[in-house]
Amino acid sequence: GNGEHDIIRLQGGLYEPTDGGVAFSYNTPENFDLEVVGGHAPLGPIPCVPALGVTTVLSGAGNRRVVQFTGQAGTSGNITLRRLTIRNGFSAGDAGGILIGNTSGFTGNVLLEHLVIRNNTAGTFGAGVVGSGGTFTLSNSLLTLNQCGGSHCAASVTVNDPDATNAILTRIIGNTVAINTCSDDACT
């Protein structure tokens, strides 16, 4: 971490690293927010502005997890992914597409919105998304064609909010979940 909140704006295109165990990885011991937003394009001298019809694709090339963004136990920085396609991820365990939050004791909020999560494979569960946080929101996204060896092939979510009185911990809003395949036919 760099000691401050960060927003990373990605121009449209295909981002597909050819080496490493995870295509795009971030882990922090700090309490600062990270937001990664796709769908940007250059406009004259401005290098990155939001643009309609621009697609930003993060790919695992069929042999690695695509995104792994985690906060350490006891941290509370928020993690946001927005306007991205996450595809062709692979994990022999869980989370072929996105592993986010995912540390016991991490209480930052996780927001995933306007994503396409497709063609990811996991050996166990959560081929599309495995996530946890203080609150977890998945909205206006498409989860499709993900495959796993167990159940919960589209997504698996855990909430670590220390305030048990918080009434709204998980929000799953306006998503399309279709054609995900589980070995035990228990897709969710």
Side-chain angles (χ1 to χ4, degrees):
N2 61 1
E4 60 188 25
H5 301 298
D6 290 304
I7 299 174
I8 299 171
R9 294 175 180 92
L10 297 172
Q11 289 187 7
L14 173 63
Y15 297 84
E16 186 175 66
T18 57
D19 59 359
V22 176
F24 303 93
S25 181
Y26 168 83
N27 181 283
T28 184
E30 300 178 333
N31 291 317
F32 297 101
D33 300 347
L34 174 66
E35 181 176 352
V36 179
V37 185
H40 287 75
L43 179 64
I46 303 169
C48 227
V49 296
L52 293 175
V54 173
T55 302
T56 303
V57 177
L58 306 182
S59 173
N63 58 15
R64 66 185 50 82
R65 178 178 289 141
V66 181
V67 173
Q68 180 171 311
F69 288 178
T70 57
Q72 295 181 7
T75 62
S76 60
N78 301 324
I79 303 173
T80 301
L81 297 177
R82 182 178 286 129
R83 295 182 63 199
L84 298 165
T85 295
I86 308 297
R87 73 175 191 203
N88 301 334
F90 172 81
S91 171
D94 62 359
I98 301 171
L99 178 68
I100 193 162
N102 208 53
T103 302
S104 180
F106 168 71
T107 59
N109 299 318
V110 171
L111 172 61
L112 305 176
E113 71 177 349
H114 301 288
L115 302 178
V116 174
I117 303 167
R118 62 177 291 138
N119 294 334
N120 298 291
T121 302
T124 56
F125 64 91
V129 178
V130 172
S132 65
T135 64
F136 186 95
T137 302
L138 175 63
S139 70
N140 301 309
S141 295
L142 170 64
L143 293 91
T144 188
L145 302 172
N146 299 292
Q147 301 177 21
C148 69
S151 62
H152 309 288
C153 290
S156 178
V157 176
T158 303
V159 175
N160 296 322
D161 193 318
D163 179 5
T165 64
N166 189 346
I168 303 174
L169 300 175
T170 303
R171 297 170 189 91
I172 310 293
I173 306 164
N175 300 290
T176 300
V177 179
I179 317 171
N180 296 284
T181 307
C182 303
S183 66
D184 63 3
D185 296 324
C187 284
T188 57

